């Protein structure tokens, strides 16, 4: 039986979002959420959760390439805790070390340099986070 998952690529100015299906293991970018110093409009996040009814929410965990944490890592953890606390959804953190780099390459290969809009990058990063999470799933 398949399930729906949402993924967020946390950032202080923009939070990318993607939705995906476990059956296909693929994700599609949704509109990114503007954030004010990492704080989104929680009402919009709630509408998104209500619309998609995900079984699980994945939040990208930004780590340095050597696996150590950086300043934004704790903020992404706090964002994931708030998602769980406010909405009662199951939340998992997922290593996102290469997602932004991959997203830029993906957008560039499709549409060229002019397409490198920050919101698009964040949401495509969320797609990559979700698809890489699907690849390693055995639990759901």
């Amino acid at each position: 039986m398949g399930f729906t998952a949402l993924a967020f690529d946390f950032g202080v100015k923009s939070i990318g979002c993607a939705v995906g299906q476990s059956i296909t293991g693929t994700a599609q970018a949704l509109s990114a959420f503007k954030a004010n110093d990492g704080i989104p409009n929680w009402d919009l996040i709630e509408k998104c959760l209500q619309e998609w009814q995900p079984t699980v929410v994945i939040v990208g965990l930004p780590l340095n390439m050597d696996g150590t944490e950086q300043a934004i890592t704790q903020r992404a953890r706090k964002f994931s805790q708030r998602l769980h606390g406010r909405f009662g959804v199951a939340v998992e953190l997922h290593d996102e070390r290469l997602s932004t780099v991959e997203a830029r390459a993906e957008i560039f290969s499709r549409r060229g340099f002019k397409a490198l809009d920050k919101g698009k990058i964040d949401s495509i990063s969320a797609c990559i986070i979700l698809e890489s999470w699907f690849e390693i799933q055995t639990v759901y």
Side-chain angles (χ1 to χ4, degrees):
M1 190 71 185
F3 64 89
T4 299
L6 275 180
F8 291 101
D9 178 33
F10 178 81
V12 292
K13 292 181 180 164
S14 177
I15 299 170
C17 186
V19 63
Q21 291 295 324
S22 63
I23 293 173
T24 59
T26 58
Q28 72 180 54
L30 300 174
S31 294
F33 295 93
K34 286 191 178 356
N36 182 2
D37 194 28
I39 300 168
N41 178 330
W42 289 108
D43 292 340
L44 294 177
I45 299 279
E46 183 175 22
K47 280 183 186 163
C48 184
L49 291 169
Q50 286 173 346
E51 179 179 351
W52 294 104
Q53 297 287 307
T55 300
V56 63
V57 174
I58 309 308
V59 175
L61 188 64
L63 298 167
N64 291 316
M65 290 311 281
D66 65 1
T68 58
E69 295 198 358
Q70 49 186 307
I72 198 161
T73 309
Q74 279 305 103
R75 297 187 74 179
R77 284 184 196 281
K78 186 180 271 190
F79 173 73
S80 71
Q81 291 163 354
R82 286 194 176 132
L83 280 170
H84 176 70
R86 280 179 182 252
F87 308 113
V89 293
V91 179
E92 289 195 24
L93 294 164
H94 183 68
D95 182 351
E96 65 161 55
R97 277 180 268 190
L98 295 175
S99 62
T100 302
V101 173
E102 285 182 43
R104 286 179 190 273
E106 175 83 10
I107 293 170
F108 190 79
S109 71
R110 288 187 193 178
R111 296 187 219 102
F113 187 71
K114 290 179 183 158
L116 293 180
D117 159 270
K118 181 71 174 114
K120 285 192 180 92
I121 291 169
D122 292 336
S123 288
I124 291 176
S125 292
C127 281
I128 292 166
I129 289 165
L130 187 50
E131 288 177 358
S132 68
W133 181 84
F134 279 138
E135 286 173 12
I136 62 166
Q137 281 323 291
T138 54
V139 180
Y140 286 89

